[in-house]
Amino acid sequence: MSGNQAREQAIAYITNREPKQSKMPESLSKIWAKDVFNLAAMEEALSKNAFKAMKNTVQTGAPLDPATADVVAAAMKDWAMSKGVKFFSHIFYPMTNITAEKHDGFIITNSDGNAITEFTGSLLIKGEPDGSSFPNGSLRMTNAARGYTAWDPTSPAYVMHTDNGSTLMIPSVFMSWTGEALDKKIPLLRSNAAMNKSATKVLSLMGEVEIAPLNSSCGAEQEYFLVDENFANSRPDLLLAGRTLFGAPPAKGQQFDDHYFGAIPARVQVFMQDFEDKLYHLGIPAKTHHNEVAPGQFEIAPYFEAANVAADHQQLLMTLMKSTAKQHGFLCLLHEKPFAGVNGSGKHVNWSVGNATQGNLLDPGSTPHDNLNFLLFCGAVIRGVHLYGPLLRAVIASAANDHRLGANEAPPAILSVYLGEQLESVFNDIKAGKLLEKAKGGLMDLGLSQILKFERDPGDRNRTSPFAFTGNRFEFRAVGSSQSVSGPLVAMNTMLADSLDWIAEKLEVALANNDKTTAVILVLKELMELHGNVVFGGDGYSSEWHSKAVEERGLKNIPTAAEALPYFKDKAIVSLFERTGVLSPKELLSRFEVYAEQYILSIEVEAKLVKDIATTRIYPAAIKYISEISATNASLTSAGIGLNKESLEKLVALTNTMMTAVSELSTAIDEHGFDSVEAHMTFCAKTICPLMLEVRAAVDSLEGIVTDEYWPLPKYQEMLFIK
Ligand code: ADP
Ligand code: MG
């Protein structure tokens, strides 16, 4: 079948298909967390004492004694088996952005050959997948390849129903036999503990007597594209790389701004409802959905949850989104830039920290006292972003996210903090010593409550900032749509812990000679003098900012992942992680190695695809059209009619340009023997990527000349507009 026949069939199929009917919606109370072994389910299934112990573990992370673990395991098994489940799996989160699972049956046989079931506390607590099959960087020692998973009781177990059966899923950490973290969950839990410790120090200095454990919260907004699978199946680039490596921009793109918040296409609405019902069964609080800026692009945002649970839910959400889309005849694209020339997809990570006694510490609050706590925590974030901006850039570095971060659609590759006009002026007044004067005058309120209350109006937001205060939380906007939220959360919690330690040290000294308000303002004044440069309220896309940020403010512009990832080896960052106990130098190094390898691999896969598609699909189509035009020209000439020499020459020239670039790319792909991983990454960024773009430029021009009839790939206008 020619490329075009496939496209025509796809269009006919899509336009004639019977729309999948939405199911009769079930009430929320009927489906909410129905498949989750949460505290409510445990209360029903466990004895009073066992439940009390379990609740304490869930809420404080305190270890569970083995006897209670046995009781919980048996109850969990009975609960799951009542839903028809026969298998269980520890689910874990290796260093890649995926999730991994290994299924085991509850079954054992007794001496009579009868099948009975068993699930002990030790099976619940510990599993042993093969550690060597997952990327683990330098932690991969052949003789200690074994890794094991351990139950994380703070994230609830659940039953996952798929077309292929139902399984009890147990959220777990994944570590090497020698105790090193091989996953994304361990550092997240450790970073939370570090933040808790440092925050508690600051709060006690502030005179708080009752301080409940602090936790970080996360609400992630997920952007994605949907493409009909009939088109996707004729695009090897979409199937294998998750993005289009070729494609001329359509005549109508997103310039009309008519998609954002527009009516959701019926077929997509049915998909969303189906998908969200599945999320509700699993206790994931899907809250907002809407069209996004680009045609074919959408967003879903669950309500925020404790960071550890939110991170697990975010992984589950991505998995479910893809599988549910498939059931609705869509390919769901989580890639950061599936289509050139139209907006890419990000994942805004909304983050705050708080506890049961002081509440959300990034919420200005209504009393002067609350506001002092708020200003300290806010200041800690400012210092963190200033000192560890490159770390924030490194944790979101990937080949795919590079396509967004440099372009004027996504927050730039320079990490700055947006505070909003009023809060920025409060911090500027602190820096200039104006608030100190007021504080010394004995004014307890400082007029902050009025200012900060006003500040909470989220209407005026700077969408160009990578890191913005949005009323009661910070929003990290540069995160990529396909990425796990764990990396960003670990970075934010850890930098906060470090800043709070610094603040505690300064505050202790300041409190010795000053009243509390003056002491806080003094510490924040010093903080702003050292780190205020990172606060920026202007247009992050402008070229003035790009040069000013670097030249005047001393901030770093890190446009590619190849430049960002080596920051994992930066002395200050290694020391930050070691000091806070979040990652040992060895664990951190292994992350650099894994991410660098992923970066190189994904660019190499794309380069090979570019070469293959250009050679086996585009070139034959171009040649076919060239010979057709040549033949037509020949007969027109012999009939004495003028011919279209110009377009033939252009066609031939473009085809030659394309194949020359393909052969250069091919040579580049075969290049090996690099001195270092860094050199290899640079080669990918500076040589392979530009060559891929050269091939693409020729192909995209050919797309505008070669007759539609011969063009082998579904076009942007078809994929983006036909649903
Ligand atoms: P917008 O698109 O305007 O930025 P959304 O309502 O789509 O906002 O998403 C905001 C996200 O922030 C939601 O996931 C929401 O639950 C989350 N969020 C709200 N308050 C907090 C908070 N204190 N901490 C963390 N996340 C929060
Ligand atoms: Mg947002």
Side-chain angles (χ1 to χ4, degrees):
M1 188 164 38
S2 81
N4 184 56
Q5 275 170 320
R7 287 164 55 207
E8 273 181 2
Q9 277 190 6
I11 294 170
Y13 176 79
I14 294 160
T15 40
N16 295 328
R17 86 159 81 222
E18 286 290 319
K20 193 170 166 146
Q21 291 299 318
S22 56
K23 285 178 278 180
M24 267 301 286
E26 284 188 277
S27 69
L28 186 59
S29 60
K30 223 165 151 190
I31 60 175
W32 174 251
K34 203 176 132 199
D35 294 326
V36 187
F37 196 59
N38 55 13
L39 282 175
M42 284 183 220
E43 188 159 26
E44 219 167 276
L46 296 174
S47 69
K48 248 201 171 96
N49 277 343
F51 176 67
K52 216 173 123 195
M54 193 54 207
K55 190 173 170 187
N56 184 38
T57 296
V58 170
Q59 290 177 344
T60 68
L64 201 66
D65 66 279
T68 313
D70 272 334
V71 174
V72 174
M76 203 188 270
K77 185 195 76 176
D78 291 345
W79 171 83
M81 286 186 67
S82 74
K83 296 174 175 294
V85 171
K86 300 180 196 70
F87 282 78
F88 68 93
S89 171
H90 278 193
I91 179 162
F92 55 101
Y93 312 91
M95 288 186 230
T96 52
N97 284 321
I98 55 149
T99 46
E101 38 194 88
K102 181 190 174 214
H103 296 205
D104 276 299
F106 289 129
I107 190 170
I108 51 169
T109 52
N110 63 12
S111 52
D112 302 331
N114 294 325
I116 52 172
T117 58
E118 184 190 67
F119 191 50
T120 57
S122 63
L123 285 171
L124 165 64
I125 288 172
K126 196 159 150 194
E128 275 183 53
D130 179 9
S132 63
S133 351
F134 297 96
N136 41 26
S138 54
L139 299 175
R140 178 171 32 211
M141 290 155 289
T142 39
N143 61 338
R146 268 182 352 165
Y148 67 94
T149 54
W151 177 38
D152 166 19
T154 60
S155 181
Y158 55 93
V159 168
M160 184 75 172
H161 299 290
T162 69
D163 291 345
N164 306 321
S166 305
T167 311
L168 170 67
M169 306 301 276
I170 302 160
S172 302
V173 299
F174 179 43
M175 62 185 99
S176 75
W177 207 246
T178 41
E180 273 115 0
L182 294 175
D183 71 347
K184 297 207 172 226
K185 193 188 254 293
I186 294 175
L188 179 52
L189 293 169
R190 288 183 190 157
S191 72
N192 206 71
M195 182 278 294
N196 174 36
K197 198 169 136 205
S198 313
T200 306
K201 243 190 283 176
V202 170
L203 290 174
S204 3
L205 283 170
M206 287 299 286
E208 306 285 357
V209 271
E210 219 184 304
I211 306 169
L214 283 106
N215 207 343
S216 48
S217 298
C218 162
E221 303 161 54
Q222 172 78 52
E223 295 178 342
Y224 61 99
F225 279 85
L226 291 176
V227 171
D228 188 278
E229 64 182 358
N230 292 285
F231 293 134
N233 288 340
S234 324
R235 298 262 343 192
D237 47 359
L238 274 189
L239 293 178
L240 297 176
R243 74 168 176 120
T244 55
L245 297 166
F246 304 110
K252 178 183 168 174
Q254 64 193 51
Q255 60 274 60
F256 293 103
D257 280 338
D258 53 357
H259 192 251
Y260 194 56
F261 286 168
I264 297 169
R267 192 178 157 202
V268 175
Q269 177 81 49
V270 176
F271 152 75
M272 283 178 170
Q273 193 175 316
D274 193 10
F275 168 49
E276 282 155 358
D277 272 3
K278 287 185 187 171
L279 295 180
Y280 289 149
H281 276 89
L282 292 166
I284 302 177
K287 177 138 179 82
T288 310
H289 65 223
H290 56 78
N291 289 355
E292 256 304 324
V293 175
Q297 191 187 28
F298 308 91
E299 175 179 307
I300 175 164
Y303 194 69
F304 70 102
E305 301 178 275
N308 178 36
V309 175
D312 289 0
H313 280 172
Q314 182 46 219
Q315 292 302 112
L316 188 50
L317 178 144
M318 290 196 283
T319 309
L320 268 177
M321 183 148 48
K322 286 191 226 160
S323 60
T324 311
K326 208 165 177 193
Q327 289 163 350
H328 288 256
F330 287 122
L331 178 67
C332 171
L333 299 171
L334 294 179
H335 193 282
E336 282 72 6
K337 190 74 178 177
F339 301 97
V342 282
N343 255 34
S345 300
K347 174 144 54 198
H348 293 179
V349 176
N350 294 270
W351 164 77
S352 62
V353 298
N355 63 6
T357 39
Q358 277 73 40
N360 176 0
L361 286 147
L362 292 173
D363 194 333
S366 47
T367 66
H369 175 81
D370 282 350
N371 279 332
L372 288 182
N373 283 346
F374 162 73
L375 287 176
L376 281 176
F377 276 74
C378 214
V381 175
I382 294 171
R383 177 184 179 273
V385 180
H386 185 236
L387 281 181
Y388 304 111
L391 170 65
L392 291 172
R393 176 63 186 90
V395 294
I396 54 162
S398 73
N401 209 16
D402 278 359
H403 295 288
R404 276 174 78 233
L405 289 181
N408 272 359
E409 58 166 271
I414 303 167
L415 262 297
S416 62
V417 180
Y418 172 76
L419 293 178
E421 220 175 285
Q422 278 119 358
L423 188 56
E424 184 175 335
S425 81
V426 169
F427 272 100
N428 282 340
D429 284 354
I430 291 175
K431 188 177 172 185
K434 289 190 197 160
L435 280 195
L436 198 56
E437 289 314 308
K438 277 198 189 181
K440 285 202 169 127
L443 272 177
M444 260 309 281
D445 180 356
L446 306 174
L448 286 179
S449 11
Q450 285 86 340
I451 297 172
L452 295 175
K453 216 174 278 162
F454 195 61
E455 184 63 39
R456 300 179 59 171
D457 174 12
D460 177 33
R461 301 229 203 121
N462 184 334
R463 310 301 297 187
T464 68
S465 172
F467 206 93
F469 179 69
T470 50
N472 61 355
R473 60 189 185 269
F474 278 90
E475 186 170 334
F476 189 11
R477 302 213 185 96
V479 183
S481 49
S482 69
Q483 295 177 326
S484 155
V485 296
S486 298
L489 290 169
V490 168
M492 293 188 285
N493 286 341
T494 308
M495 72 180 196
L496 186 66
D498 181 67
S499 288
L500 290 170
D501 281 346
W502 182 89
I503 285 177
E505 212 172 282
K506 299 279 171 186
L507 197 57
E508 199 167 3
V509 176
L511 280 168
N513 306 311
N514 299 284
D515 65 84
K516 205 191 290 172
T517 308
T518 308
V520 167
I521 303 291
L522 271 172
V523 171
L524 287 173
K525 184 172 185 298
E526 184 180 352
L527 186 147
M528 280 304 287
E529 280 159 3
L530 292 168
H531 306 292
N533 264 354
V534 80
V535 177
F536 176 63
D539 177 5
Y541 294 171
S542 71
S543 51
E544 292 101 272
W545 168 240
H546 288 202
S547 50
K548 197 173 154 193
V550 176
E551 284 151 26
E552 289 172 29
R553 306 269 194 120
L555 305 179
K556 291 211 162 69
N557 184 0
I558 310 171
T560 68
E563 290 149 280
L565 289 173
Y567 278 99
F568 281 118
K569 302 205 284 189
D570 184 80
K571 250 169 70 193
I573 289 172
V574 175
S575 151
L576 166 77
F577 279 112
E578 193 173 22
R579 239 178 13 247
T580 47
V582 174
L583 286 167
S584 70
K586 198 165 148 200
E587 288 172 323
L588 191 60
L589 180 65
S590 74
R591 269 135 192 97
F592 164 74
E593 286 165 351
V594 171
Y595 303 152
E597 188 181 8
Q598 301 256 306
Y599 173 79
I600 292 166
L601 278 178
S602 56
I603 291 184
E604 283 180 351
V605 165
E606 288 189 349
K608 284 180 192 149
L609 274 168
V610 164
K611 179 184 149 190
D612 286 356
I613 297 171
T615 313
T616 64
R617 293 204 184 199
I618 312 293
Y619 181 71
I623 290 297
K624 200 164 156 194
Y625 191 49
I626 288 172
S627 43
E628 187 185 299
I629 295 198
S630 309
T632 314
N633 279 351
S635 53
L636 287 176
T637 312
S638 65
I641 304 168
L643 46 83
N644 185 356
K645 220 169 135 226
E646 213 178 293
S647 79
L648 182 61
E649 275 169 10
K650 198 167 167 198
L651 202 54
V652 171
L654 279 171
T655 309
N656 284 334
T657 308
M658 171 182 83
M659 289 318 285
T660 309
V662 165
S663 102
E664 281 173 41
L665 179 63
S666 182
T667 313
I669 293 171
D670 292 338
E671 188 88 22
H672 51 77
F674 295 95
D675 287 344
S676 63
V677 189
E678 281 88 340
H680 198 172
M681 282 198 291
T682 306
F683 183 75
C684 288
K686 304 277 186 252
T687 305
I688 296 198
C689 288
L691 280 172
M692 290 201 300
L693 280 179
E694 253 179 63
V695 179
R696 176 175 193 146
V699 172
D700 291 357
S701 301
L702 281 170
E703 189 183 320
I705 305 177
V706 172
T707 175
D708 209 37
E709 204 180 313
Y710 294 160
W711 196 253
L713 301 172
K715 296 185 171 183
Y716 271 26
Q717 66 218 37
E718 296 160 348
M719 292 186 285
L720 290 171
F721 290 98
I722 301 178
K723 289 274 170 301

